Amino acid sequence: KPDAWLDPVYLLATLSSRCVTTMWGVPSPFALVMQVAEGRLPACLWDLHLSGEALPPRLVSSVLENPLVTLFNPYGPAEVTINSHAHKCCKADAEASSVPIGSALPNTSGYVLDKHGMLVPVSVAGELYLGGRKVARGYIGRQDLTDGAFVSMKALSHAGRLYKTGDRV
């Protein structure tokens, strides 16, 4: 039904009655489903992809209590055809301060840059820029937005055009 995410009881019943094996959703509404399910998901649900916002470690813990479920944390903005990175969650993620976004998917590259547009060392925070064939050309009829979000970095001349996500990683 339309807006099924607004009715966790209905959604849980549908997952079970239709024997849904793979599901894509958003963490915060799915947390409500987990509450209704009292932590027990239908046995037919094997692959769960939760994206669109940060995936809380406590939700990872709750989902992974269901041994048949494989949980993924996909990441990516619409400007890079939705998913650019993905991480297969594990028990260690339930204890972490944040869940990783994972490795770049095919035809995508990710670069973490400082405020000067220079690559930062591993484990140093910076802003995520995305490159590759999946990156959009820009915003139709909005050159002003395109110029601010889609850039070429001199330090990464091999990378071509990059999308400036605004996300700190």
Side-chain angles (χ1 to χ4, degrees):
K1 75 178 186 180
D3 297 326
W5 279 109
L6 302 176
D7 186 349
V9 172
Y10 169 82
L11 187 56
L12 185 59
T14 302
L15 289 173
S16 191
S17 68
R18 303 260 175 129
C19 202
V20 173
T21 59
T22 302
M23 180 179 171
W24 288 76
V26 178
S28 53
F30 196 78
L32 298 175
V33 171
M34 290 299 292
Q35 286 178 349
V36 168
E38 297 178 346
R40 293 184 306 273
L41 293 172
C44 57
L45 184 61
W46 300 337
D47 292 309
L48 179 59
H49 304 255
L50 296 176
S51 63
E53 61 189 32
L55 179 58
R58 68 183 178 282
L59 183 55
V60 171
S61 177
S62 180
V63 169
L64 292 183
E65 290 297 318
N66 295 269
L68 299 178
V69 176
T70 302
L71 176 61
F72 295 93
N73 182 32
Y75 165 86
E79 291 85 351
V80 189
T81 60
I82 308 303
N83 290 323
S84 63
H85 290 70
H87 172 69
K88 182 179 176 182
C89 296
C90 63
K91 295 279 185 188
D93 297 323
E95 304 299 324
S97 58
S98 62
V99 179
I101 63 171
S103 302
L105 296 173
N107 296 315
T108 309
S109 52
Y111 303 94
V112 182
L113 307 178
D114 64 17
K115 63 182 178 183
H116 305 292
M118 302 299 294
L119 285 170
V120 299
V122 173
S123 299
V124 173
E127 183 175 353
L128 181 61
Y129 286 72
L130 301 173
R133 296 176 56 187
K134 292 170 59 175
V135 175
R137 295 181 184 161
Y139 302 106
I140 296 174
R142 293 301 310 267
Q143 193 61 43
D144 57 328
L145 292 177
T146 298
D147 291 344
F150 296 87
V151 298
S152 293
M153 304 299 269
K154 291 179 183 174
L156 298 171
S157 58
H158 67 283
R161 189 177 178 90
L162 299 174
Y163 173 65
K164 178 180 170 41
T165 68
D167 290 336
R168 189 161 176 78
V169 297

